Amino acid sequence: MDELLDAISALVALVSPEKVDAVADRVRQAEASKATTALSSVLGTPLARIAVGKLAAAWQNTEIASGELASMLRSASYVYAKAASEQSSELVWTGPTTPFVSARRTEQALLQVINSAEQSLFITSFVAYEVTSIVNGLNSAIDRGVSISMLLELSQEHGGNISFDTISKMRGLVPTAKLYAWSEKADCFENGSVHAKVAVADGRSCFITSANLTGYAMERNMEAGLLLTGGAIPVMLEEHLQALVYTGVISAV
């Protein structure tokens, strides 16, 4: 049964719901013992034909009736399409690229999250030097009524781990943003840093990345990240950051 379920999952992830319906219609008219022949011509692309072939082979090792398998295919296709519509994920990459894999750039992904914010935006970074496009995006968000919170690393002068006073600089660039720092650390976190680099808007979209808010990170460094829209992760990330504020783990500066 697991082999059949795996084959169903692979097929619905590969082809459109309409193509799955076509396979289901053919399955309903076929017998497991003749499935390979009956299903071989339903789909045209090589990868799809391989997936259908694996489905036919797996079906022959079960006692599942044709009508039951057709229903399983349609149900799996519906669930897969619904899940895909509720959450999307994109690879984000800055640095050398290849012609084999396409990915969004770091600056593009971060601006997408910033520009999508309607009520709240929470950003964390170890350092933040002036990146004009990001600063402009943040101020535009404020102009349309978005509440912006930023968690940044303290300077060494204020007990942190960087020589540059990022927080003072950001206060000048985005005056109405709420700025937070990890000032009071439990013994187990002594000398720890704010090394997370995330942005989350309205609990609906988030960007998790290796990139700081610097020009080099946006343009020259090799940086990787994941842009998520919808689903549970943006909600959980926003709730966690807000909980750090409410419980006093991080404090306003």
Side-chain angles (χ1 to χ4, degrees), residues 1 7 17 21 52 76 93 117 127 171 187 192:
M1 176 63 78
D21 284 344
V52 169
W93 182 270
V127 294
R171 182 177 285 115
D187 291 343

Side-chain angles (χ1 to χ4, degrees), residues 80-88 229:
Y80 182 86
K82 184 172 179 60
S85 69
E86 292 177 349
Q87 181 179 76
S88 65
T229 303

Side-chain angles (χ1 to χ4, degrees), residues 89-215:
S89 60
E90 294 182 74
L91 173 65
V92 179
W93 182 270
T94 298
T97 59
T98 73
F100 307 108
V101 177
S102 62
R104 300 286 299 282
R105 290 181 59 81
T106 297
E107 186 177 19
Q108 294 172 336
L110 181 54
L111 284 172
Q112 178 174 320
V113 174
I114 293 171
N115 294 338
S116 73
E118 297 178 356
Q119 296 180 329
S120 65
L121 177 70
F122 208 127
I123 296 178
T124 75
S125 185
F126 180 63
V127 294
Y129 302 146
E130 185 171 354
V131 182
T132 302
S133 61
I134 304 304
V135 170
N136 289 343
L138 293 172
N139 282 309
S140 293
I142 288 172
D143 289 343
R144 62 177 183 269
V146 177
S147 175
I148 294 180
S149 300
M150 300 185 74
L151 170 61
L152 301 169
E153 177 67 13
L154 286 165
S155 67
Q156 292 170 352
E157 181 181 357
H158 295 91
N161 292 300
I162 56 173
S163 58
F164 181 75
D165 192 348
T166 293
I167 292 176
S168 293
K169 183 68 173 177
M170 191 56 63
R171 182 177 285 115
L173 294 171
V174 191
T176 60
K178 301 173 186 175
L179 301 179
Y180 295 91
W182 190 19
S183 303
E184 302 296 329
K185 302 180 178 74
D187 291 343
C188 58
F189 296 115
E190 185 178 0
N191 296 321
S193 301
V194 177
H195 218 255
K197 296 100 176 176
V198 302
V200 57
D202 301 326
R204 292 200 309 256
S205 65
C206 70
F207 179 36
I208 302 170
T209 177
S210 64
N212 285 302
L213 297 176
T214 68

